[in-house]
Amino acid sequence: MGAMKGRSVLVAVVACVVVGALVILRQYFQVVDMTEYRDDFIYKTSLEELRGQGQIILPDKAAIDKLSAAAVFRTYHSYLDNVDILCSRKLRMGRLGDGGWEICDDREYRPVKPCVVYSFGINYDYSFDDAMAKNYECDVFSFDPSMKKNSYQRSARVRFLNIGIDSENTVNGNWEMHTLGRVKAMLNHNQNAIDVLKMDVESSEWRSLPEMVASRDLRSVRQLLVEYHGKCTDRDECIQMLKVLKDVYDLGFRKFYVHKNPGCHLKSSVFPVERTFCYEIHYVNTNLKAH
């Protein structure tokens, strides 16, 4: 009788051990499953959602028209804050701070003498222009109608012109504005490729670039450096801005460097990091390689 009772106790103990082990194992595998699910969940609600609503690759124009105000905002800032192509060697031309720009020095894109540089928007800072003339020995044309200076030859390779870039040829007060095509004609550059076109023109880029696309003059630019201005908080306005960016992309321009101007702070609950409303975008034209 005592032996039978002892075996029953032993069976009960073994059963408890087995059940306990199963419980522990089940809890362990639940932890593993939950960890995997949680990782997947985090990915889908941060990166995947960001890519879904703020697309890195711009959709076609018909799809852009259908984007919500939130999606337009996400797409604009996500697209401008990411590069499309790798430039193995970038060289800073001009100041390290505001006023300097990066040049892609990879063999297929680097400016090679004789080269031509158009620099729109100077604001008395010639550091980029002078560096391009010195280092690449390019002929540099500096444009800015806001400086109230007459056109003059700044140095052997740098010439200042008291005119600006716009979507049409006009005179607005003391400001003489021209299209890119008209500027090229004035300088006898109709047959020339523009090795570098830099634009920091305080929102005039949104009027100038569509004209350059329509006239096909942008096709002859090898590197395009432009500061895009705008918060993209108005849906209709931002849709038009995205369409401009799409047109530039479709011509073969790819972003190799992006700099968020720290002087244009933009905070939004949509993004975990601080954004800007002044993106300095550096493109190479993949359809117009130098070599």
Side-chain angles (χ1 to χ4, degrees), residues 93-155:
M93 295 290 116
R95 298 172 56 196
L96 289 177
D98 195 32
W101 293 78
E102 304 288 326
I103 292 294
C104 182
D105 194 57
D106 288 356
R107 181 178 177 275
E108 61 267 40
Y109 298 114
R110 72 166 64 113
V112 176
K113 182 183 177 181
C115 45
V116 174
V117 175
Y118 283 5
S119 179
F120 291 96
I122 307 302
N123 194 26
Y124 301 97
D125 185 347
Y126 291 92
S127 61
F128 169 77
D129 309 58
D130 291 342
M132 289 300 300
K134 176 183 178 181
N135 295 296
Y136 286 103
E137 299 185 72
C138 292
D139 293 322
V140 181
F141 299 86
S142 310
F143 307 88
D144 197 325
S146 72
M147 290 168 50
K148 300 179 180 179
K149 295 177 71 71
N150 294 326
S151 300
Y152 73 105
Q153 191 72 31
R154 173 176 169 81
S155 65

Side-chain angles (χ1 to χ4, degrees), residues 210-260:
E211 192 283 327
M212 294 181 199
V213 171
S215 65
R216 302 172 67 88
D217 287 314
L218 193 59
R219 295 172 183 264
S220 65
V221 174
R222 286 201 173 95
Q223 294 196 41
L224 173 65
L225 318 178
V226 55
E227 182 168 75
Y228 289 115
H229 302 81
K231 297 180 180 180
C232 203
T233 51
D234 179 85
R235 178 182 178 273
D236 293 339
E237 181 182 66
C238 195
I239 282 177
Q240 298 308 312
M241 293 159 70
L242 284 178
K243 289 181 177 180
V244 173
L245 298 178
K246 176 64 173 172
D247 283 338
V248 173
Y249 179 89
D250 287 346
L251 285 183
F253 286 89
R254 299 294 182 267
K255 307 185 299 295
F256 70 87
Y257 181 70
V258 173
H259 177 252
K260 295 194 286 286

Side-chain angles (χ1 to χ4, degrees), residues 63-116:
I64 289 175
D65 279 328
K66 298 177 182 178
L67 293 176
S68 67
V72 166
F73 179 82
R74 284 177 181 263
T75 299
Y76 175 81
H77 289 282
S78 297
Y79 176 73
L80 287 183
D81 201 21
N82 287 273
V83 298
D84 306 310
I85 196 171
L86 176 65
C87 176
S88 301
R89 179 180 174 86
K90 296 186 291 289
L91 297 179
R92 184 74 171 181
M93 295 290 116
R95 298 172 56 196
L96 289 177
D98 195 32
W101 293 78
E102 304 288 326
I103 292 294
C104 182
D105 194 57
D106 288 356
R107 181 178 177 275
E108 61 267 40
Y109 298 114
R110 72 166 64 113
V112 176
K113 182 183 177 181
C115 45
V116 174

